[in-house]
Amino acid sequence: SPFRQENFSITGASLVSQLTDMVGSDAAERLLAHYGTPAADADATALAATIAVDALRAEQAVVAEFRAGRPTYTYQFTHVMPGPDAAAWGAFHTADVPYFLNVLSDKRAPYWDDADRELGGLLSGCLYRFALTGVPGGAGVVWDSGAESSAVLDVPFAQMPLDTDELEVFKDYYRNLLK
C-alpha cells in the first residue's frame, strides 16, 4: 500500500461516505455489494487499502484506453522490500526503484534474499529491453500492453486482469473525469 498502515485508519462510516462522494451512491452500492460493508473499523482500514489499489488499477486501464493505438504498459509492484519495518510499510511507492535499477543497497545487505536478487535481475532486464525495443519483458517474461491486464511485479511475475466487474465502476469514474 502507498501509506504506512500503522499510521492510517478509517472508520466504516467514513469509508462508505468517501466512496459515495467519489463515485456516487449507485456506484458505491455496487462496490460495497462486491467488497462487503466493513463490520469493524479495523476491517474498514484494510478494505480501504484494497479499494484504493483497485481504483488505481482501473485508472491505469482507462489511461491505456485513451492511448488506443499506442502501447501502454502498466504494473502493480507487490513485492515487499525486506527490512525491520517491512510489515508496516508493505509494497510502498518507489520500492520498485532499486529492483528496476538492480541496485540492492549494501546498507540493506543483511535483508536481501534470493527473491530480491531474482526480481532485481528480472526488472532491470525488462527496463533494458524497454529502452532498446519499446516493449518491456525479457528472459521469458511477457508483459502485455493495453487496458485488459496489468503486470504484477513480484516473484513470480504475473499478469492481473483489468476487466473485472468491480473495476468497471472505477473505470466509469475515470472516463468521466477525462471527458
Side-chain angles (χ1 to χ4, degrees):
S1 72
F3 47 82
R4 191 174 171 119
Q5 292 182 14
E6 64 194 35
N7 295 332
F8 174 81
S9 65
I10 188 171
T11 65
S14 179
L15 173 61
V16 171
S17 174
Q18 289 181 40
L19 199 54
T20 301
D21 289 347
M22 178 181 174
V23 297
S25 59
D26 291 342
E29 285 180 30
R30 282 178 50 201
L31 290 170
L32 292 170
H34 171 77
Y35 292 106
T37 303
D41 289 344
D43 297 334
T45 299
L47 183 59
T50 298
I51 291 171
V53 167
D54 283 352
L56 179 59
R57 290 174 51 217
E59 181 182 25
Q60 291 176 338
V62 170
V63 167
E65 286 174 7
F66 275 82
R67 290 180 46 88
R70 294 170 288 171
T72 302
Y73 300 92
T74 63
Y75 70 91
Q76 178 182 352
F77 189 79
T78 60
H79 187 75
V80 176
M81 185 185 292
D85 294 331
W89 285 98
F92 60 90
H93 180 67
T94 71
D96 54 341
V97 172
Y99 297 95
F100 270 113
L101 300 177
N102 202 15
V103 177
L104 304 181
S105 167
D106 290 342
K107 292 180 182 181
R108 301 184 68 78
Y111 305 111
W112 302 123
D113 62 17
D114 290 343
D116 295 297
R117 288 182 277 283
E118 179 182 350
L119 188 59
L122 178 76
L123 295 187
S124 65
C126 289
L127 185 61
Y128 177 77
R129 181 167 180 236
F130 184 71
L132 284 179
T133 68
V135 178
V141 171
V142 176
W143 190 327
D144 295 332
S145 70
E148 301 306 315
S149 68
S150 180
V152 178
L153 303 186
D154 206 335
V155 176
F157 188 89
Q159 290 288 136
M160 180 186 307
L162 291 175
D163 58 355
T164 58
D165 290 340
E166 68 272 13
L167 295 187
E168 285 306 314
V169 171
F170 290 118
K171 286 181 183 180
D172 290 344
Y173 170 78
Y174 290 115
R175 285 179 189 120
N176 286 333
L177 286 179
L178 294 171
K179 285 184 179 176

